[in-house]
Amino acid sequence: MEDKVVIRRARLGDAESVLEVCRAVQAEMARQEARTQLLHLLTHPYLVGLTLFTFLTIHYTLQTSVAWSAVMGCWVVALVEAARYWLFWGRIRRVFQPGPDLLNLVHYYSHPRRLFLVAEVGEAVAGTIALRETVDPDTAKLWRMFVHPRFRRRSIASRFAVRLQNVVVKIDDCVGQVDKCCVTRRRRLLGYRAVELRTHLTNQAALRCYHKAGYITLRQENFARLYPYTFDTVHCIWRNAD
C-alpha cells in the first residue's frame, strides 16, 4: 500500500529536503535538455554543411588524403561544436540551478503574499511548488514546481496545480475541507485572481499538466539562441472565473 500524499506549507526543517528535490529534478531536466539539443544538432543540415566545408578546406589546403582529411575534419567540427555548445549552455545554465529563494526558504516565503508548499509522502518531501507576487497585484507567479523522480505517477503535480488554484484552502482557518467560503477568504487574504507561469518548451510533461489544470498559453519567447541551438519558454496563465 502506497503512503498517502500530504500537501502542506513548508517548514524550517524542510530546507535541506527541498533543495535535494529541486537539485534532483533540475539535474534530470538539464540532462533531458542536453539530449534534446544534441539530437537537434545531429539532425540539422547545419552539421552536414559544416562538416563538408571543414573536410574540403582541410583536404585542399593541406593536400592530405581523403581519409585523413575526413578524420581531421570530424575532430575540428567536434571541438568547434563543443566550444559553441558550452557557450550556449552558459546562457541557460541558471535555469537548472536552485535560486536564492531556495537557499533561504523560510525567510523568503515569510512574505504575506508568497507561499511555498511541499508534498510529503511518508516522511519524505516528494515535491514542491511556490507562489509569489508579480508586478500586477492581482496576478501571482507559480514556480518551483518540482516532483522528485522517485514519486512520479502519483498525480502530485496535478494536485499542486489545483491546490494553488484554490489558493491553498488547508492553511490557517480552513481545516482540510474544500469549502467555497474558505476559498474566498483565503483568496481575499492573498489578493490574487490569476496565476501565471513560465516553463521551457521542451518540458512537455509539465505543459500537459498545466493545460489539463486550466492554464492557457499566452505566448512563446526565445530565452537563448546560438544557431542552431535554441531555448524557448512558454508563458501560461490561469484566471479565476468567480
Side-chain angles (χ1 to χ4, degrees):
M1 183 177 177
E2 291 185 344
D3 292 325
K4 182 180 178 181
V5 177
V6 177
I7 297 177
R8 59 170 176 79
R9 184 188 282 266
R11 298 191 288 255
L12 181 61
D14 296 324
E16 186 175 340
S17 297
V18 164
L19 272 177
E20 180 183 347
V21 170
C22 294
R23 283 170 174 155
V25 175
Q26 288 178 314
E28 180 189 51
M29 290 193 298
R31 290 191 295 269
Q32 178 184 347
E33 187 63 34
R35 288 193 298 268
T36 300
Q37 296 293 343
L38 178 60
L39 180 61
H40 177 66
L41 173 66
L42 293 176
T43 57
H44 199 283
Y46 160 84
L47 185 62
V48 176
L50 178 64
T51 303
L52 182 59
F53 173 79
T54 305
F55 161 74
L56 292 174
T57 300
I58 292 174
H59 181 63
Y60 288 105
T61 301
L62 302 181
Q63 296 295 307
T64 56
S65 66
V66 172
W68 184 243
S69 297
V71 171
M72 289 183 63
C74 289
W75 272 106
V76 170
V77 169
L79 290 173
V80 168
E81 285 310 305
R84 294 182 74 249
Y85 184 75
W86 182 252
L87 179 62
F88 170 75
W89 191 258
R91 299 178 183 180
I92 66 173
R93 184 182 294 116
R94 62 185 176 87
V95 174
F96 305 104
Q97 295 177 340
D101 62 305
L102 297 179
L103 302 177
N104 198 1
L105 186 67
V106 175
H107 175 73
Y108 185 88
Y109 290 99
S110 62
H111 189 285
R113 304 203 72 197
R114 296 173 186 168
L115 189 65
F116 194 97
L117 302 178
V118 299
E120 191 175 56
V121 178
E123 296 183 355
V125 173
T128 68
I129 194 170
L131 196 72
R132 68 174 176 84
E133 76 281 5
T134 66
V135 293
D136 181 354
D138 292 328
T139 303
K141 179 180 179 179
L142 181 156
W143 66 337
R144 305 308 185 200
M145 167 82 95
F146 299 125
V147 179
H148 196 284
R150 290 194 295 114
F151 298 99
R152 300 275 168 81
R153 302 187 182 280
R154 297 196 184 197
S155 300
I156 293 176
S158 299
R159 292 179 61 180
F160 267 145
V162 172
R163 183 62 67 89
L164 279 192
Q165 286 174 7
N166 291 333
V167 195
V168 191
V169 176
K170 186 179 179 182
I171 285 192
D172 296 325
D173 53 340
C174 306
V175 187
Q177 183 180 358
V178 181
D179 179 88
K180 189 171 182 179
C181 293
C182 290
V183 174
T184 303
R185 287 199 299 272
R186 195 62 195 173
R187 280 181 180 152
R188 187 160 56 243
L189 178 60
L190 292 177
Y192 298 125
R193 296 190 60 82
V195 181
E196 66 177 24
L197 63 89
R198 180 180 68 170
T199 188
H200 48 281
L201 183 61
T202 52
N203 194 6
Q204 289 295 312
L207 282 170
R208 287 193 295 269
C209 174
Y210 294 135
H211 290 154
K212 185 178 179 180
Y215 286 81
I216 60 173
T217 299
L218 290 177
R219 63 189 181 277
Q220 180 176 321
E221 294 181 350
N222 179 255
F223 185 85
R225 180 180 287 118
L226 181 61
Y227 187 84
Y229 310 108
T230 185
F231 186 82
D232 297 329
T233 59
V234 180
H235 298 247
C236 302
I237 194 166
W238 171 86
R239 292 186 174 91
N240 175 22
D242 295 342

